[in-house]
Amino acid sequence: NELESYYKAGWLRDETEYLAGETMQLIYRLQADERVKYLNRHLPCLAQAKVLDLGAGFGYFGEALRQAGVHQYYATDPNPESLVHLRERAVLACRDISEMPDKDFDLITASQVLEHLREPCAFMHMALGRLKRGGYFYLDVPERDDTFKPMLDPHVVVYTIQSIENLMARIGLQLVHITGFGARRSNIIEAAKIRNRVLRRLKAGFERLTGCFQDDASRQEARRRVLYNEFQFDQEGQDRWWLRALFLKP
C-alpha cells in the first residue's frame, strides 16, 4: 500500500539523512535512556527480560537495554539499512513480526510506531501473538501532535491518553501505567511562532560559537543539557509532547 511503499523508499532516504546529524543521534540516545529508566521504574526484573523491539530503527534502545543488563534483545524494522545496522551488532532482526522466529517474549516495545499505522488493532494482534501471558507491552506515541504541527505526514493517527487506553482495552490488555511526558504542548505551540523560531536560531548559533572553544566531551555534555532542557524527556504530566504506557497481557 501507499504507506508501506513510503517507508521502503522515501522514508529510508529521509530517515537516513535525518539520523546522520550528531544532534539527532544524541536525541535518539536520550530518548532510549529515558525509556529504560521508565521501564525500570514500572517493570519487575527488566534485566532478565526477553525483549522484542518493534520499529527498532538503528537500535539505540537496544544499546540502552544492553547497558542496563538486558541480554535477550530482538528487533524488527522495515528499513533495510536499519536491518543491516542491527545485524552488524549481532541483533536478531527481521523486517516485520511475521518473520520473527522467536516467540514468548517477556516484553514487547513499540516506540514512535503506532502513529504511522492505519490499522493499529491488526498490528497489535500480531504483536500480542508473540507476547507470553504475564508479559508486558510498552509503547510511546506523540500526544495530539495535530495541535502543534503544520502537517502530520507521515503520521496517520493522532492519539490521546483516552484513545490509547480504549485501543489496548479493546484487544484485552490491562493498564499498568500511562502518562504524558516531555515538553508541554502549549510551550511547543508557542515555540512554533516565527518570533520564537528566530530567537532559537540565534541561541543555537551562539551555542555553536561557544562550542568551538570546548573539547569534545564538554561540547557533548553541553549539548545534552540543552536538549534535555528543550525536550524535557524526563518530565511527566498532562498536556505533553508524547505519551508512554505499559500494559500487561493477562
Side-chain angles (χ1 to χ4, degrees):
N1 58 35
E2 182 179 354
L3 184 62
E4 184 177 4
S5 298
Y6 173 73
Y7 284 122
K8 288 181 178 178
W11 179 82
L12 172 58
R13 292 193 303 273
D14 296 344
E15 186 74 358
T16 301
E17 293 169 4
Y18 198 46
L19 283 167
E22 179 182 338
T23 297
M24 282 313 305
Q25 290 185 41
L26 182 54
I27 287 173
Y28 284 132
R29 292 185 190 282
L30 292 173
Q31 288 177 323
D33 290 343
E34 286 301 321
R35 288 180 187 122
V36 171
K37 292 177 185 177
Y38 175 86
L39 289 170
N40 267 322
R41 290 198 299 271
H42 298 285
L43 186 68
C45 303
L46 175 61
Q48 283 74 50
K50 180 181 179 182
V51 181
L52 174 59
D53 186 13
L54 305 176
F58 278 18
Y60 295 112
F61 181 48
E63 292 177 10
L65 285 171
R66 282 194 292 274
Q67 291 173 5
V70 175
H71 300 294
Q72 298 184 81
Y73 174 75
Y74 303 75
T76 70
D77 199 278
N79 182 335
E81 187 162 337
S82 292
L83 291 177
V84 171
H85 188 89
L86 289 162
R87 289 165 181 167
E88 286 176 347
R89 284 152 182 77
V91 175
L92 198 164
C94 301
R95 186 180 62 85
D96 59 37
I97 306 170
S98 64
E99 297 176 0
M100 177 59 62
D102 283 70
K103 56 181 181 179
D104 294 329
F105 288 94
D106 301 300
L107 171 66
I108 295 181
T109 67
S111 301
Q112 310 293 311
V113 170
L114 293 186
E115 67 271 21
H116 299 280
L117 304 174
R118 295 187 185 278
E119 309 235 356
C121 280
F123 172 83
M124 287 300 305
H125 280 299
M126 288 186 65
L128 295 186
R130 303 302 178 109
L131 184 64
K132 73 178 186 181
R133 291 193 179 277
Y136 294 86
F137 186 88
Y138 167 85
L139 65 89
D140 56 57
V141 295
E143 180 181 12
R144 285 300 311 274
D145 52 336
D146 61 311
T147 61
F148 59 85
K149 286 184 177 178
M151 59 182 295
L152 278 174
D153 181 66
H155 296 176
V156 294
V157 179
V158 173
Y159 286 102
T160 64
I161 285 180
Q162 189 62 57
S163 65
I164 286 292
E165 290 180 345
N166 291 343
L167 172 62
M168 298 304 160
R170 180 178 175 183
I171 60 176
L173 291 180
Q174 295 179 359
L175 177 65
V176 175
H177 185 267
I178 189 168
T179 184
F181 74 103
R184 291 188 180 277
R185 235 174 324 124
S186 55
N187 294 343
I188 301 168
I189 294 169
E190 180 68 19
K193 294 181 179 179
I194 294 176
R195 179 178 62 85
N196 286 326
R197 284 208 302 269
V198 171
L199 290 175
R200 286 176 65 184
R201 287 180 181 177
L202 290 172
K203 179 182 176 182
F206 177 76
E207 289 167 357
R208 285 195 296 271
L209 178 62
T210 56
C212 294
F213 303 100
Q214 298 175 318
D215 59 36
D216 288 344
S218 298
R219 186 165 53 250
Q220 184 85 340
E221 180 57 31
R223 189 58 185 151
R224 182 185 182 93
R225 289 196 301 269
V226 168
L227 291 172
Y228 248 104
N229 183 58
E230 180 175 353
F231 290 95
Q232 300 177 29
F233 299 112
D234 58 340
Q235 298 299 305
E236 295 184 341
Q238 297 181 341
D239 184 42
R240 300 288 174 162
W241 196 327
W242 302 283
L243 301 171
R244 58 186 171 202
L246 187 66
F247 294 87
L248 172 71
K249 179 178 179 181

